[in-house]
Amino acid sequence: MSDAVTEPVARPESEGVIKLTMLLGGVVFLLMMIFGLIMRAAQGDLIYLDPTIFYQLLTAHGAGMVGSAALSGAAILWYFTARHVPLRTGIYIAFLGLFLLGVVLILGSIFIGGYGGAWTFLYPLPALSGGAWEAGAAVAFILGYLFIGVGFLLYYLELGIQIITRYGGLLRGLGWTYLFGGSDEDVPPPTIIAASSVLVFNTIGIVFGAAVIAASIINLLFPGFEVDPLIAKNAIYFFGHVFINATIYMAVTAVYELLPDYTGRKWKTTRLFVGAWFAVVVFVQAVYFHHTLQDVNMPAWTMAVGQIISYSSGVPLMGVTVFSLAVYIKGSGLKWDLPIALLVLGTVGWGIGVIPAIIDGMVAVNKILHNTMWVPGHFHTYLLLGEVAMAFGFAAWLVKDKTKEAMSGLDKLLLRAYIGGGAGFVLMFLWSGAASIPRRWAVHYEYWQLQSQLASLFALVVVLATLGLVISYARGLLRRN
């Protein structure tokens, strides 16, 4: 067992722009939740929403939530990585600028160009709109992704350069030399292990995404250029699955860095910890196969891999991170406040969210559940009760009033409302999926509407709780300034 040798500094120089990023992320989270509430209310026949508008909101909601999760996760990872290696603030600002440029293109393509092909831009759908949008709108949407991807590649390049410089190579940054019998001298802290792992698998995912994005743009501009749809689907879902998972793996570094401040117990780099992250690098890339289990022309071995890796992918999370969290908390005398409560919720919610994913990864079950509300149920658990909770926990810590150690009455109310509303909301998705209610349908039959109506109620509670968290963070920023 090895302690990290690099003592963290108090505040990275990029703290100001990180705070701004978290404010942007919080506002977008809130807006996308409102979009989600509107869609669920429409499905429950509580309001009328034109199906064309529904699919535009669906596209914006998916792209916006994934983008906000990625942005907040990147801010968290940058903040804590900068405690251990020097990171240039100018690079982060360039990343943020490219990201925001991509957001402008995406929003313009949806709300001006009318694009409604969902956040996955599944080929050849962007070019087959049935007159709902022009090819230029689809190009703008996909170009937005391209700019965001370039921004992230720049971001990861800076992480890689600084980690390699500090630790003498990426394998050392990953901890793999230590894992396979190396000395425990100068073993990186958990945050560097996480940063190195994420930059490896998410860079690979973004490169695949960039390739299919380029092919899709060429197809939109020159329809005679065709792409194999099955290859395109594999590349898109590989990119999408890796990218959304990376958001959570970036955000969990807040738990590694902040929990020791509350428990007095340092989160240590052990061979078990490094081994778990080694497995993550492999599993995050291989598990996407469960998105192709219904493609009968995929090779049979991909179905086996998809099922086995879906089972296995939960082991590093539940067997190491969640279990370690419980061990670090037990008997520590931890004094709960809003930041640590949200961070713990995020870790536990992440662990719970993997269970529906494992169930969906079973070939026999996947044939029934994958195109139902079950799938949004599992990834809303990952995000709403996982990454988003971690992001708000980190944000609350950034503006924490150091004179107060306990949660105020308002903090307790916001936390309970967020947990209760979020849990009820995702359970409605899972109930709907178990009842074989399809996903991505703008209009629901009357006998499907009860779950949507209840989900709308829970969503309203989450929106109000999130509004309170965003206002609390903004007030904290003003108070600190």
Side-chain angles (χ1 to χ4, degrees), residues 317-397:
L317 168 59
M318 293 188 290
V320 178
T321 297
V322 177
F323 178 77
S324 298
L325 177 73
V327 170
Y328 276 90
I329 291 175
K330 181 176 170 47
S332 67
L334 181 150
K335 294 182 179 179
W336 292 90
D337 62 9
L338 186 60
I340 196 62
L342 286 168
L343 288 171
V344 171
L345 167 64
T347 308
V348 174
W350 182 21
I352 293 173
V354 79
I355 298 171
I358 291 173
I359 294 172
D360 181 60
M362 300 168 63
V363 174
V365 176
N366 186 276
K367 292 179 179 179
I368 300 171
L369 290 184
H370 196 72
N371 285 323
T372 71
M373 290 285 206
W374 184 272
V375 171
H378 103 70
F379 65 67
H380 275 84
T381 309
Y382 270 156
L383 283 179
L384 187 59
L385 298 178
E387 199 281 340
V388 178
M390 291 183 198
F392 279 120
F394 171 67
W397 175 81

Side-chain angles (χ1 to χ4, degrees), residues 129-252:
S129 68
W133 62 82
E134 299 295 331
V139 170
F141 183 86
I142 299 174
L143 270 178
Y145 274 16
L146 187 62
F147 280 112
I148 291 173
V150 171
F152 265 100
L153 289 177
L154 181 64
Y155 172 101
Y156 289 129
L157 179 63
E158 174 67 2
L159 289 187
I161 289 172
Q162 300 304 335
I163 290 172
I164 290 170
T165 301
R166 167 62 183 84
Y167 292 97
L170 187 57
L171 291 181
R172 291 184 178 276
L174 289 160
W176 292 1
T177 54
Y178 172 56
L179 176 64
F180 296 108
S183 169
D184 62 357
E185 294 181 4
D186 203 20
V187 175
T191 293
I192 297 299
I193 301 289
S196 301
S197 300
V198 171
L199 79 86
V200 168
F201 66 71
N202 210 20
T203 297
I204 295 172
I206 291 170
V207 169
F208 271 84
V212 74
I213 282 171
S216 296
I217 291 174
I218 295 172
N219 169 259
L220 286 163
L221 297 177
F222 305 99
F225 177 84
E226 296 182 357
V227 181
D228 185 300
L230 188 60
I231 293 176
K233 177 182 177 179
N234 275 268
I236 289 169
Y237 276 98
F238 177 77
F239 155 71
H241 196 98
V242 168
F243 191 81
I244 189 59
N245 274 270
T247 67
I248 314 175
Y249 286 111
M250 291 190 288
V252 77

Side-chain angles (χ1 to χ4, degrees), residues 100-142:
L100 294 177
L101 176 58
V103 168
V104 169
L105 285 169
I106 290 169
L107 293 178
S109 72
I110 296 170
F111 295 112
I112 298 175
Y115 180 78
W119 81 275
T120 50
F121 65 96
L122 189 61
Y123 176 88
L125 181 58
L128 301 177
S129 68
W133 62 82
E134 299 295 331
V139 170
F141 183 86
I142 299 174

